[in-house]
Amino acid sequence: MRLAELAPTEYTFVGLLTACIRRGNPRFGTQVHALVAKDWYCGGSLLVANALLGMYVKCGRLEDAMRVFERMEQRDVSSWNAVLSGLVELGRHEEAFELFGDMRTDGVAADRFSLSALLTAAAEGCSLSQGAAVHALSLKSGLEVDLSVGNALIGFYAEHGDSVEDVVGVFQRMPVKDVISWTGLLNGYMEFGLVDKALCVFDRMPEKNFVTYNAVLTGFCQNKEGVRVTFAKKAGLRGLGLFRQMLDNGLEMSDVTVTGVLNACAIAADRKMSEQVHTFVIKCGCGSTPWIDAALIDMCIKCGRSGDAHLLFEHWCHQESFHIAWNSLLLASFRDGEYEKAFSIFLQMFRSSDIQFIDEFTLTTVLGVCSALGFAELGKQMHSFAAKSGLLRACGVGNSIISMYGKCGQLENAENFFEQMPHRDLVSWNALITAHLLHREGDVILNIWSQMQRLVIKPDSITFLLIISACSYTSSDSADTCMELFHCISSTYSIEPAMEHFAAFVYVLGCWGRFDEAEQFIRSMPFKPGALVWRSLLESCNKRSNMTLRRRAMNHLLALEPQDPSTYVLASNLYSESAKWHCSENTRLEMREKGIHKIPARSWTFHDNTVHSFFARDRSHPQSKDIYAGLDVLTIECMKAGYEPDTTFVLHDVEEYQKRHFLMYHSAKLAATYGLLMAGSGQIVRVVKNIRMCGDCHSFLEHASAATGKEISVRDSSGFHIFRGGICSCRE
């Protein structure tokens, strides 16, 4: 055309710029812009100027678009809309609303595209007031009935509405609806947790596309949170079923679809199914994207394929989702109970990445690791980091800090932090109650419960489980109070008591020696008592030495949990206490034949920001010679003060001198001795044990605290034991 010396018109330039947008070619677009600038006639054309704006915005060159916009002598609503949409796409929501203010000052009336863009900005920018103002403007201008504005309003209220009725109201007032409108309504129900209603909408939809299926798939995944594991698994399986339906209908798949099905498989936690889905993702040629690969790692971890997850991570090449992959590995180790490994992974993350990778999710996971290990020093450092980074404002982080201090034995810090929290939710109260429960402060917990009632804080099933458990640790018999509390769970709060609540109440009755009532209560349960109930009865019998009831409870346990190693250990110990050595040995032999292994007792303590771990008669520590020598000296000192090794806790048919030797080097004694050797003046020795501490270790540490003048804190599976001057805080 140029060779023929034909002069381009404004329509020529508009066509060229449209081609640049379609090809995503801003370089050619700038050349066209140069031609426009040379052309006196077309250079002043509003049509061409708007096409230039559209080209720069669509090609990601917003600053160039802004320069064109500022130099325009004439502007219409399309000019303003082009820049407005560019700002919204880049997440510059406040600037978008400022530009809209300038547009109205200029006397330009908003159209449906202006309002749709602003509603998207309000939805993404978390601005309820601005979104409501745009809605009011749409009503005044009569644009609420417009299809694109209505769809944008549905999307806004799905994110920020007070209730799902806000979404339904907009949908019902729309005279014309398309697949986007129906998908928005479906998504609104999902956002408010109304999955069944969302599925009803899905079934009624006159038309569906792959975006609709993605919305349902994503909804299944997001609504698995806050429910029991069985319901979460069901949601995951429903998501996988929906994905199969998509394939049968020949619908298009996007990265969102693939990510959604991987998340659904992770929720279902089915190893075999995860392998099938993983194979499908590879075979269908889904490209390696940051979010698909991150979802693959998460799925492998949650489906018990940690080895595959680590292999995927070794070949990681996506910087955008690097921190997500790290977080998945960190969470996997935490969930598997490999707390030291999780701690090691976090240190690797910290050394190899910028500190900015620590977000709310990472911080709560690391605080969880500190809680599990009882690692107070690292927990305090994370608290300081949260304060400096602004993450302390997040309620989830604050709740994790309360939990961390409580589980690290620093109850006063937990209480102080709780009092200083600007915003508390029910989890905050539950975390505080848990902290006191670990310290066996039942009376304090009942006072907290009274305070919650005065403040009209609605409890959940976890709250009741904690308060019922607290009745075991009150200063006087609180079984009757507990009974009233148990009955009000369903009558007052409409919460159906679960097996855990029944088991906790049985333990309370047993602790206070009310075994007849406990058995009667078990017989009156509305469903068959599970292993948890019989285990609670058995443990309460141990405190009151009711051998007959213990045997009865043990028989029920063996019938219900024939593969649980702890059940066999309890049975073997029960036989040993009755001097039925042959039966005890047969039980242990049966364990070996079935390949069942007991969890080995392990204790650990901290020195120089390092975890020092010990097993019984463990000599792997670099300073084991000093530890064993120190323990021998300490044992002699304790025996001078009245300590006598209690060989009844050695449940093996061996000679007395061998029993004393077995007792001498239990893991708790080794960890406490190392802590005493390393502790400075006035420093508390902190020990954590993975199972319940035996009675002999308890007696030894009482005498050790008196002999050394040191405070020794031990957290075992039952809670804290604070030894001071020969007395333990547990009063047992």
Side-chain angles (χ1 to χ4, degrees):
M1 183 178 174
R2 294 185 72 193
L3 287 171
E5 296 185 357
L6 293 170
T9 67
E10 57 184 345
Y11 299 106
T12 311
F13 288 123
V14 170
L16 285 169
L17 290 166
T18 303
C20 293
I21 291 171
R22 287 175 181 166
R23 295 183 65 180
N25 191 338
R27 188 167 176 269
F28 185 55
T30 54
Q31 293 174 26
V32 175
H33 189 179
L35 285 174
V36 170
K38 292 175 184 177
D39 191 305
W40 179 82
Y41 173 72
C42 292
S45 166
L46 180 62
L47 189 66
V48 174
N50 284 344
L52 278 168
L53 282 174
M55 183 274 296
Y56 280 124
V57 167
K58 296 292 184 185
C59 292
R61 302 268 291 269
L62 183 62
E63 298 309 318
D64 290 330
M66 296 286 279
R67 278 191 282 272
V68 171
F69 181 77
E70 286 164 5
R71 291 171 187 165
M72 287 173 69
E73 293 177 6
Q74 284 183 291
R75 298 174 187 144
D76 63 4
V77 69
S78 298
S79 318
W80 291 91
N81 285 346
V83 182
L84 200 61
S85 63
L87 289 167
V88 173
E89 280 178 26
L90 290 175
R92 293 160 64 171
H93 305 121
E94 288 301 323
E95 290 177 67
F97 277 99
E98 287 172 14
L99 184 74
F100 180 66
D102 295 339
M103 174 180 165
R104 299 195 71 190
T105 304
D106 241 27
V108 179
D111 65 3
R112 61 195 181 108
F113 299 110
S114 317
L115 297 184
S116 298
L118 288 170
L119 286 166
T120 302
E124 292 175 358
C126 303
S127 178
L128 180 59
S129 58
Q130 288 175 322
V134 176
H135 190 181
L137 183 61
S138 72
L139 287 168
K140 287 178 183 177
S141 59
L143 287 169
E144 191 203 25
V145 295
D146 178 82
L147 182 62
S148 61
V149 174
N151 289 342
L153 280 167
I154 287 173
F156 168 71
Y157 283 117
E159 289 288 334
H160 302 295
D162 292 328
S163 73
V164 75
E165 295 306 318
D166 295 330
V167 180
V168 175
V170 173
F171 180 83
Q172 289 177 340
R173 288 192 296 273
M174 290 174 68
V176 179
K177 304 173 182 74
D178 62 5
V179 67
I180 298 172
S181 318
W182 283 93
T183 303
L185 177 64
L186 184 153
N187 189 54
Y189 279 121
M190 285 294 191
E191 286 290 335
F192 285 96
L194 303 169
V195 179
D196 291 333
K197 287 191 176 182
L199 292 176
C200 288
V201 171
F202 181 76
D203 293 335
R204 288 192 292 119
M205 285 179 70
E207 180 189 355
K208 302 181 182 81
N209 60 18
F210 77 96
V211 178
T212 311
Y213 280 87
N214 286 347
V216 180
L217 196 57
T218 305
F220 280 143
C221 294
Q222 74 184 32
N223 282 292
K224 59 91 183 175
E225 298 295 343
V227 297
R228 291 181 193 169
V229 175
T230 49
F231 295 142
K233 186 166 184 173
K234 186 179 176 183
L237 292 172
R238 287 168 87 177
L240 289 168
L242 188 78
F243 178 65
R244 278 195 291 268
Q245 196 177 329
M246 286 183 73
L247 295 177
D248 293 340
N249 293 341
L251 288 167
E252 178 187 351
M253 278 198 310
S254 67
D255 287 355
V256 175
T257 316
V258 176
T259 305
V261 74
L262 291 171
N263 288 337
C265 198
I267 295 163
D270 187 310
R271 185 187 179 102
K272 188 176 179 181
M273 201 172 286
S274 78
E275 289 168 348
Q276 292 174 5
V277 171
H278 194 164
T279 305
F280 173 82
V281 169
I282 295 167
K283 282 185 175 179
C284 74
C286 295
S288 176
T289 71
W291 316 117
I292 288 176
D293 285 355
L296 267 172
I297 283 187
D298 187 57
M299 178 192 72
C300 288
I301 285 165
K302 290 175 180 173
C303 294
R305 296 168 55 202
S306 294
D308 291 339
H310 281 277
L311 282 173
L312 283 166
F313 186 74
E314 284 171 14
H315 299 93
W316 198 261
C317 57
H318 309 294
Q319 192 59 39
E320 306 98 307
S321 58
F322 187 65
H323 68 289
I324 297 175
W326 269 121
N327 281 337
S328 294
L329 293 178
L330 180 65
L331 187 61
S333 298
F334 176 65
R335 285 179 172 172
D336 292 343
E338 298 175 329
Y339 305 122
E340 288 165 81
K341 185 178 177 182
F343 177 51
S344 174
I345 289 171
F346 173 69
L347 290 179
Q348 275 183 273
M349 290 167 70
F350 195 80
R351 289 165 185 158
S352 63
S353 307
D354 190 270
I355 200 165
Q356 295 300 320
F357 82 90
I358 302 180
D359 58 10
E360 181 182 340
F361 179 84
T362 311
L363 194 57
T364 52
T365 305
V366 175
L367 286 164
V369 172
C370 297
S371 301
L373 285 172
F375 202 161
E377 290 308 311
L378 179 62
K380 286 177 180 176
Q381 290 172 28
M382 290 297 101
H383 184 179
S384 298
F385 174 81
K388 290 175 184 175
S389 62
L391 289 171
L392 210 56
R393 290 192 295 269
C395 200
V397 172
N399 295 337
S400 296
I401 289 171
I402 295 171
S403 181
M404 179 274 295
Y405 280 127
K407 290 179 180 178
C408 289
Q410 303 198 1
L411 187 57
E412 190 177 341
N413 285 344
E415 290 177 312
N416 290 340
F417 185 82
F418 176 84
E419 293 298 331
Q420 292 165 13
M421 284 179 78
H423 305 290
R424 303 180 193 126
D425 58 11
L426 181 59
V427 180
S428 315
W429 288 91
N430 287 347
L432 181 67
I433 293 170
T434 302
H436 284 286
L437 187 61
L438 285 169
H439 287 79
R440 297 177 172 83
E441 296 188 342
D443 294 320
V444 175
I445 292 170
L446 292 181
N447 287 336
I448 293 171
W449 168 239
S450 299
Q451 189 181 348
M452 288 175 70
Q453 288 178 300
R454 285 195 301 273
L455 295 171
V456 198
I457 295 167
K458 188 177 179 182
D460 62 4
S461 59
I462 295 170
T463 315
F464 282 113
L465 182 60
L466 294 170
I467 297 165
I468 289 169
S469 301
C471 293
S472 305
Y473 302 116
T474 49
S475 54
S476 59
D477 187 341
S478 56
D480 293 331
T481 304
C482 192
M483 176 68 82
E484 292 173 15
L485 188 66
F486 186 87
H487 288 309
C488 83
I489 297 176
S490 54
S491 62
T492 307
Y493 295 96
S494 302
I495 297 171
E496 200 63 38
M499 187 73 74
E500 293 85 356
H501 298 94
F502 284 92
F505 185 51
V506 166
Y507 184 77
V508 171
L509 290 171
C511 281
W512 295 108
R514 296 163 76 158
F515 295 114
D516 292 339
E517 290 177 55
E519 285 195 280
Q520 187 180 347
F521 179 75
I522 292 170
R523 284 193 294 270
S524 67
M525 283 175 62
F527 43 78
K528 186 180 178 181
L532 194 62
V533 173
W534 294 111
R535 192 178 295 278
S536 295
L537 183 63
L538 185 65
E539 287 179 6
S540 66
C541 290
N542 290 344
K543 295 181 77 172
R544 294 277 176 169
S545 302
N546 190 324
M547 188 60 73
T548 306
L549 195 54
R550 282 176 71 186
R551 287 199 190 96
R552 201 150 57 235
M554 179 54 66
N555 290 333
H556 284 288
L557 257 183
L558 285 169
L560 290 166
E561 289 187 334
Q563 296 301 316
D564 191 327
S566 63
T567 304
Y568 281 91
V569 172
L570 284 168
S572 175
N573 292 350
L574 190 62
Y575 288 133
S576 298
E577 287 177 37
S578 307
K580 294 181 179 179
W581 304 112
H582 181 67
C583 295
S584 175
E585 188 55 40
N586 284 344
T587 304
R588 292 178 185 272
L589 182 63
E590 189 181 347
M591 281 182 71
R592 287 192 288 272
E593 287 172 351
K594 290 183 176 180
I596 299 170
H597 302 283
K598 63 174 281 191
I599 299 168
R602 187 167 74 100
S603 302
W604 59 90
T605 188
F606 310 94
H607 179 64
D608 284 343
N609 279 339
T610 306
V611 180
H612 297 266
S613 184
F614 301 88
F615 293 95
R617 297 180 292 283
D618 186 356
R619 292 185 181 271
S620 62
H621 195 278
Q623 293 171 263
S624 62
K625 284 185 179 179
D626 295 332
I627 294 167
Y628 274 75
L631 180 53
D632 290 341
V633 171
L634 184 57
T635 303
I636 292 168
E637 290 300 315
C638 289
M639 291 178 77
K640 286 179 183 176
Y643 163 67
E644 184 62 35
D646 189 348
T647 55
T648 60
F649 288 99
V650 179
L651 303 174
H652 297 277
D653 187 18
V654 293
E655 297 296 329
E656 189 69 16
Y657 76 92
Q658 290 177 295
K659 289 184 178 182
R660 293 172 76 91
H661 180 75
F662 284 155
L663 282 176
M664 190 77 75
Y665 305 115
H666 276 189
S667 65
K669 292 178 182 176
L670 293 171
T673 301
Y674 178 74
L676 287 165
L677 289 171
M678 296 295 111
S681 177
Q683 192 174 349
I684 300 171
V685 176
R686 299 188 185 278
V687 176
V688 181
K689 185 165 183 172
N690 64 335
I691 61 173
R692 188 185 285 267
M693 181 169 48
C694 79
D696 179 70
C697 286
H698 192 279
S699 174
F700 173 81
L701 291 174
E702 281 181 328
H703 287 88
S705 67
T708 59
K710 294 277 189 185
E711 182 177 319
I712 303 171
S713 169
V714 179
R715 191 190 85 197
D716 67 2
S717 60
S718 69
F720 278 96
H721 303 264
I722 313 296
F723 300 97
R724 295 190 192 94
I727 299 171
C728 180
S729 60
C730 74
R731 303 185 299 275
E732 292 180 1

